Amino acid sequence: MGVFKFRQFDVDDSGCGMKICSDSVLLGAWVAREYRDARTVADVGAGSGVLALICAQYMTSAKITALELEHDAAQACRANFAATPWADRLSVCEGDFAAWSPKTPPDVIISNPPYFTTGERSADLSRAGARHQSSLSYKSLIAKAAGWLADDGRLALVSPADFEPHIVFEAEMTGLKLRRCLFIKTSPAKPPTRILWDFARRDGACTSETLAMRDSDGSISDEYRLLTSELYLKL
């Protein structure tokens, strides 16, 4: 894709296995505007760093660590961070996320993890790693997050809709409690294709909502515009 221009920052994803997609933008906006007062954030499997940058835009005091295994993606992430006004609050930790040990328990852990568990792998190793749950899986992410999070922290991630039972099971096994979820549809008449998840250590009320990205006539929905209006230059 090359350089993608947002309202307050640019992202060059040319060195990354997976390119910028609406999944990350939706997740970033949905989470970051809800937790603007967060102090510490970890973006797990950061790729080009788009989730970390979205968090930096909304969470104006947060220190944000991007965890990325692939060297080329980590390099792209560093370059994207350096080109923003928030470079002093952004850092990259290159290597296996499971080996990371945070100095301060994160207030928010956010991730758009790989979601293919079967099927043909790309010949491009970085793309294959980004697409397949080889090193970063939902199970490993949820288990590690349960140990890392601050007492009042949140784990936010995106998954395909048909992963719902698996995600709920893994969270229950670690003691994390579902507090918010957003079902994403491409249009009102179609079933959800993605789910945005927000888990906490502490139990409490859970809200569930649905967002259609486009109206029945094919135009971009008001709900999608509202959620992403502080990010996209235009829709």
Side-chain angles (χ1 to χ4, degrees), residues 35 39 105-109 149-155 176-177 179 198-202:
Y35 304 115
R39 298 152 298 174
D107 295 319
V108 175
I109 296 173
L149 277 175
D151 288 343
D152 58 351
R154 298 287 184 138
L155 166 65
L176 292 179
K177 307 300 182 181
R179 301 296 298 276
D198 182 352
F199 293 99
R201 286 188 182 278
R202 298 177 181 176

Side-chain angles (χ1 to χ4, degrees), residues 26 37 124:
L26 282 165
D37 295 333
D124 182 333

Side-chain angles (χ1 to χ4, degrees), residues 79-222:
N80 288 328
F81 289 175
T84 72
W86 317 303
D88 62 330
R89 296 193 288 115
L90 292 155
S91 62
V92 178
C93 179
E94 184 176 344
D96 188 340
F97 87 102
W100 184 58
S101 180
K103 295 179 180 178
T104 302
D107 295 319
V108 175
I109 296 173
I110 191 168
S111 182
N112 179 6
Y115 53 83
F116 289 117
T117 57
T118 60
E120 184 178 354
R121 291 174 180 258
S122 169
D124 182 333
L125 293 180
S126 64
R127 183 172 176 81
R131 290 170 63 88
H132 284 264
Q133 293 185 33
S134 53
S135 56
L136 170 59
S137 67
Y138 290 107
K139 181 176 182 177
S140 60
L141 171 63
I142 291 169
K144 282 293 182 181
W148 288 336
L149 277 175
D151 288 343
D152 58 351
R154 298 287 184 138
L155 166 65
L157 56 102
V158 56
S159 79
D162 58 3
F163 278 45
E164 181 179 3
H166 175 62
I167 301 295
V168 170
F169 174 79
E170 294 299 341
E172 285 292 330
M173 290 296 291
T174 62
L176 292 179
K177 307 300 182 181
L178 181 61
R179 301 296 298 276
R180 294 194 303 153
C181 60
L182 181 64
F183 292 85
I184 305 297
K185 297 182 174 185
T186 55
S187 66
K190 293 184 177 180
T193 58
R194 297 285 186 270
I195 305 175
L196 308 187
W197 302 90
D198 182 352
F199 293 99
R201 286 188 182 278
R202 298 177 181 176
D203 206 354
C206 178
T207 60
S208 176
E209 297 179 312
T210 299
L211 182 147
M213 296 174 66
R214 293 186 178 272
D215 293 328
S216 55
D217 63 0
S219 60
I220 294 171
S221 70
D222 290 341

Side-chain angles (χ1 to χ4, degrees), residues 13-20 47-48 68 70 72-74 76 122 124-131:
D13 62 6
S14 56
C16 304
M18 286 301 290
K19 306 305 180 184
I20 293 172
S48 61
E68 176 52 50
E70 296 294 335
D72 288 347
S122 169
D124 182 333
L125 293 180
S126 64
R127 183 172 176 81
R131 290 170 63 88

